Amino acid sequence: MLVSFGCYGVVSLAIFTFGEDVAKERGRGWPRTLAATPFPVWVHLTGKAASAVVHAVAIVVVMSAVAATLGGVRLTAAQWLTLGATLTSGVLLFSTLGFAIAYLARPRAATVIANLVFLPLSFASGFLFPLGELPDVVGRVAQWLPTYHFGQLAYRTVMPAEDVAFWSGRALEPVWVHLAAVVGTALLLGAVTVWAARREAVTRRG
């Protein structure tokens, strides 16, 4: 539960911080205002990313403290650190999904679309219920989702292989498969976001 809800928390933070918030900024015309100033856009985005990382760390720390004190979770120091680093990285890995929503959707529709994307992703990735207890079709869909592969990486930091296999309802795959899926999706969505942002800039100038 600690790992599942940790994944749920950082992915939601990424999607809504970079999706909903950036879409609202677009709706208010903030990118146009920023482009007319000497203030670099990358500094603004770096600050937003840093803020999201801080919030992700807070989520991980609070949940870990509750799990340790009230849930009786016992891990080694190395496991706590590895789990924390893995979960925190999720906010950056899935930031490109948030940005894609922000730039591809209309600002007023971004919140609805973010929810329509996030909730099914979380359910089908096993963050809410073990995939081993859900219909097999959900497991077949899950293997194509980056959030599922992210969860697999997080589970492996603290859970025995047999527990991971039970939770996911599938035979274990090499770690590189999960890494390739998560990083590859992040890069692909990042490229889509850059294309959408440039298209909007050209349209605005035209």
Side-chain angles (χ1 to χ4, degrees), residues 57 65 71 77 84 93 112 138 146 179 206:
V57 171
L93 290 168
V112 175
V138 180
L179 282 172

Short mmCIF file of all heavy atoms in Angstrom, two decimals, residues 57 65 71 77 84 93 112 138 146 179 206:
data_model
loop_
_atom_site.label_atom_id
_atom_site.label_comp_id
_atom_site.label_asym_id
_atom_site.label_seq_id
_atom_site.Cartn_x
_atom_site.Cartn_y
_atom_site.Cartn_z
N VAL A 57 8.76 15.05 -2.49
CA VAL A 57 9.53 14.61 -1.31
C VAL A 57 8.64 14.65 -0.06
O VAL A 57 8.68 13.73 0.78
CB VAL A 57 10.78 15.48 -1.12
CG1 VAL A 57 11.45 15.19 0.22
CG2 VAL A 57 11.77 15.25 -2.26
N ALA A 65 6.53 8.02 6.96
CA ALA A 65 6.42 8.17 8.41
C ALA A 65 5.16 7.50 8.94
O ALA A 65 5.19 6.82 9.97
CB ALA A 65 6.43 9.65 8.78
N GLY A 71 1.67 1.78 10.48
CA GLY A 71 1.49 0.56 9.72
C GLY A 71 2.49 -0.52 10.03
O GLY A 71 2.38 -1.64 9.51
N ALA A 77 17.64 1.21 5.92
CA ALA A 77 17.87 2.59 5.50
C ALA A 77 18.06 2.67 3.98
O ALA A 77 17.55 3.60 3.32
CB ALA A 77 19.10 3.15 6.21
N GLY A 84 12.36 6.11 -1.78
CA GLY A 84 12.10 7.55 -1.85
C GLY A 84 12.62 8.17 -3.13
O GLY A 84 11.93 8.99 -3.77
N LEU A 93 9.54 12.31 -14.35
CA LEU A 93 9.30 11.41 -15.47
C LEU A 93 7.91 11.61 -16.08
O LEU A 93 7.74 11.50 -17.30
CB LEU A 93 9.47 9.96 -15.03
CG LEU A 93 10.90 9.52 -14.70
CD1 LEU A 93 10.90 8.17 -14.00
CD2 LEU A 93 11.74 9.46 -15.97
N VAL A 112 -10.48 18.44 -16.69
CA VAL A 112 -11.32 17.26 -16.97
C VAL A 112 -10.49 16.18 -17.66
O VAL A 112 -10.56 15.00 -17.29
CB VAL A 112 -12.52 17.66 -17.86
CG1 VAL A 112 -13.32 16.41 -18.26
CG2 VAL A 112 -13.41 18.65 -17.13
N VAL A 138 -7.44 -6.39 -17.69
CA VAL A 138 -6.79 -5.20 -17.11
C VAL A 138 -5.28 -5.39 -17.10
O VAL A 138 -4.52 -4.47 -17.40
CB VAL A 138 -7.31 -4.95 -15.68
CG1 VAL A 138 -6.63 -3.72 -15.07
CG2 VAL A 138 -8.82 -4.75 -15.69
N PRO A 146 2.83 3.39 -19.07
CA PRO A 146 4.07 3.76 -18.39
C PRO A 146 3.93 3.76 -16.88
O PRO A 146 4.90 3.50 -16.16
CB PRO A 146 4.36 5.17 -18.94
CG PRO A 146 3.03 5.69 -19.37
CD PRO A 146 2.29 4.49 -19.89
N LEU A 179 12.32 0.30 -17.27
CA LEU A 179 13.03 1.57 -17.45
C LEU A 179 12.83 2.13 -18.86
O LEU A 179 12.56 3.32 -19.05
CB LEU A 179 14.53 1.38 -17.19
CG LEU A 179 14.97 1.30 -15.73
CD1 LEU A 179 16.45 0.91 -15.66
CD2 LEU A 179 14.74 2.63 -15.03
N GLY A 206 1.51 34.55 -35.82
CA GLY A 206 0.81 34.75 -37.08
C GLY A 206 -0.51 35.46 -36.90
O GLY A 206 -1.05 36.02 -37.85
#
